[in-house]
Amino acid sequence: MSGVNEIRSTFLDYFGKNGHEVVASSPLVPRNDPTLMFTNAGMVQFKNVFTGIERRPYTRAATSQKCVRAGGKHNDLDNVGYTARHHTFFEMLGNFSFGDYFKETAIELAWNLITKEFGLPEKRLMVTVFSEDDEAFGLWKKIAGLPDEKIVRIPTSDNFWQMGDTGPCGPCSEIFYDHGEHIPGGPPGSADADGDRFIEIWNLVFMQFEQMADGQRIALPKPSIDTGMGLERIAAVLQGTHDNYATDLMRSLIMAVANATGVDPDGDQKVHHRVIADHLRASSFLVADGVLPSNEGRGYVLRRIMRRAMRHAQLLGAGEPLMWKLVPALVREMGQAYPELVRAEALIAETLKLEETRFRKTLARGLAILDDESRALRAGDNLSGEVAFTLYDTYGFPLDLTQDALRTRGIGVDTNAFSAAMERQREKARAAWAGSGEAATEALWFGLKEKVGATDFLGYDTETAEGVV
Ligand code: ATP
Ligand code: MG
Ligand code: MG
Ligand code: MG
């Protein structure tokens, strides 16, 4: 059985041997893209290379890229603790061709890696192609010898990738692994495809067009390749489990939670261990890349992740701040591949400890209120938006924490009323200042307040509102 660290190296060595430059992961805060909350795919650091704005001394590259999908367009925060295959932080293994090889070589390289180097049984594999992409369909038949029924044509945007409203785009082809009948879920394209049985392990994007502002799509003179494979998912396959959280790396983090709390990691409380392990990685890597908890923007997403984990720690009965104690276990597992984690270890621990110490002051009371207010509710009901807002405003509960707390009981939150309460609060704050006659000071004050937050727990800025609702 290969461990996660070994699988990462096997991937990079394989593409290195095949003429690819092995490039380090870029930071989670994208350097070249203010519109993007966090780096969420391997191609992010190469965007300008794909569009031709930037040139590199190589035309083939391979990476293991740190990704966070929480907040923004790709948001998997709500999946964590509920599926076996989603994380907020994960590593995306990728190979890239900048106008070098195209579809045929990309499929060959991928198929060869998974079936020969990794030795996956062919009968467990199937692929999707974009419905109009006959070329990809033919190549999968030719190269992999897959029967027609294992090459599923998908007509939706799931299999057509676009960088933005304009720019490079093209069809993609995803490789799925069938974990077997004992796991619920249908094959890609079926009505119950959202289970954990057929898991998407690798996405190959064929960048072959440029989308113009006038709606035209023109063929690129030098088409490119962008791929992404979830390290945790391929590790699960190679370690004989369908569950990312049962792989060696995640398991040691889960054991660290179990040791620190004394709660069985495989009993009916196990979802807490899983959420904490996942959120520990996201929080720590974000701090290592310079994000600190705050009431706006990226910092607020970090705070939401941290506090969500802290509620789960509370539910495990942790009598004192827990998260910071888990940092050494994470550094042990991932510090070698990501030295920034080692460098930032003290800062990560301090940040987690401070945030948890503060939040614990209101967490228990907030949870008691949430219990009271939701006691009479049943599956299908919504918690009142005003209550959710009070929890947010006075007790520092991000909206998704409240939603997460109610979800196992099938209870939602009246988010419209929540937003309305937030808006009323803002107006009240503004009205309280109207008439002071000093417009400039007022603007300054509000600007400041929106930056810092009125108190520790108040988040008034609009970015935050986008983030929480
Ligand atoms: P899914 O449909 O399973 O949510 P996706 O289509 O959103 O995945 P892509 O954007 O194609 O994912 O990313 C490339 C690869 O990264 C996926 O094939 C998968 O292996 C992995 N991946 C994507 N999201 C996650 C996640 N939240 N946690 C772990 N791995 C992920
Ligand atoms: Mg997804
Ligand atoms: Mg998908
Ligand atoms: Mg995909």
Side-chain angles (χ1 to χ4, degrees), residues 216-239:
Q216 270 197 87
R217 235 175 234 169
I218 57 168
L220 288 172
K222 282 188 164 186
S224 291
I225 291 293
D226 153 31
T227 85
M229 169 156 68
L231 174 60
E232 298 77 4
R233 293 189 189 180
I234 187 68
V237 170
L238 292 172
Q239 295 180 13

Side-chain angles (χ1 to χ4, degrees), residues 21 99 247 334 401 420 439:
E21 176 87 9
T247 56
M334 301 190 73
L401 185 159

Side-chain angles (χ1 to χ4, degrees), residues 190-225:
S190 71
D192 56 344
D194 200 31
D196 283 323
R197 174 174 167 184
F198 292 86
I199 286 190
E200 176 190 328
I201 52 173
W202 204 347
N203 191 358
L204 316 180
V205 178
F206 311 127
M207 275 184 218
Q208 65 187 101
F209 305 112
E210 176 155 11
Q211 179 71 50
M212 312 302 277
D214 65 4
Q216 270 197 87
R217 235 175 234 169
I218 57 168
L220 288 172
K222 282 188 164 186
S224 291
I225 291 293

Side-chain angles (χ1 to χ4, degrees), residues 295-296 440-455 458 460-461:
N295 283 333
E296 62 174 12
T441 321
E442 207 173 298
L444 189 75
W445 193 87
F446 274 110
L448 245 170
K449 187 172 165 196
E450 300 206 340
K451 261 212 164 64
V452 213
T455 75
L458 297 179
Y460 276 111
D461 83 301

Side-chain angles (χ1 to χ4, degrees), residues 375-448:
R375 189 158 298 133
L377 302 180
R378 283 155 212 283
D381 289 347
N382 273 341
L383 177 77
S384 122
E386 282 74 27
V387 172
F389 183 71
T390 304
L391 288 171
Y392 165 81
D393 196 36
T394 311
Y395 298 93
F397 280 36
L399 179 60
D400 51 52
L401 185 159
T402 303
Q403 288 169 320
D404 182 40
L406 296 169
R407 181 163 158 187
T408 44
R409 292 167 55 204
I411 299 167
V413 174
D414 182 346
T415 49
N416 288 335
F418 175 88
S419 308
M422 171 103 84
E423 196 42 47
R424 272 200 303 280
Q425 174 86 313
R426 268 191 202 130
E427 268 158 24
K428 227 162 57 193
R430 290 210 165 93
W433 277 82
S436 74
E438 294 180 59
T441 321
E442 207 173 298
L444 189 75
W445 193 87
F446 274 110
L448 245 170

Side-chain angles (χ1 to χ4, degrees), residues 122-141:
E122 295 181 12
K123 62 175 195 318
R124 296 270 189 158
L125 294 165
M126 63 188 295
V127 302
T128 61
V129 297
F130 184 53
S131 48
E132 292 161 30
D133 195 358
D134 295 332
E135 188 189 3
F137 191 96
L139 286 168
W140 278 116
K141 268 182 97 125

Side-chain angles (χ1 to χ4, degrees), residues 301-345:
V301 177
L302 171 60
R303 173 161 280 169
R304 282 160 55 201
I305 297 171
M306 283 181 165
R307 292 192 172 185
R308 204 166 178 268
M310 288 162 188
R311 182 183 76 89
H312 287 274
Q314 171 95 3
L315 293 178
L316 286 178
E320 47 188 64
L322 171 77
M323 298 290 287
W324 70 282
K325 293 184 191 157
L326 309 172
V327 176
L330 176 66
V331 173
R332 223 168 19 246
E333 289 296 320
M334 301 190 73
Q336 208 174 347
Y338 297 99
E340 63 271 36
L341 217 48
V342 182
R343 285 195 296 272
E345 181 168 358

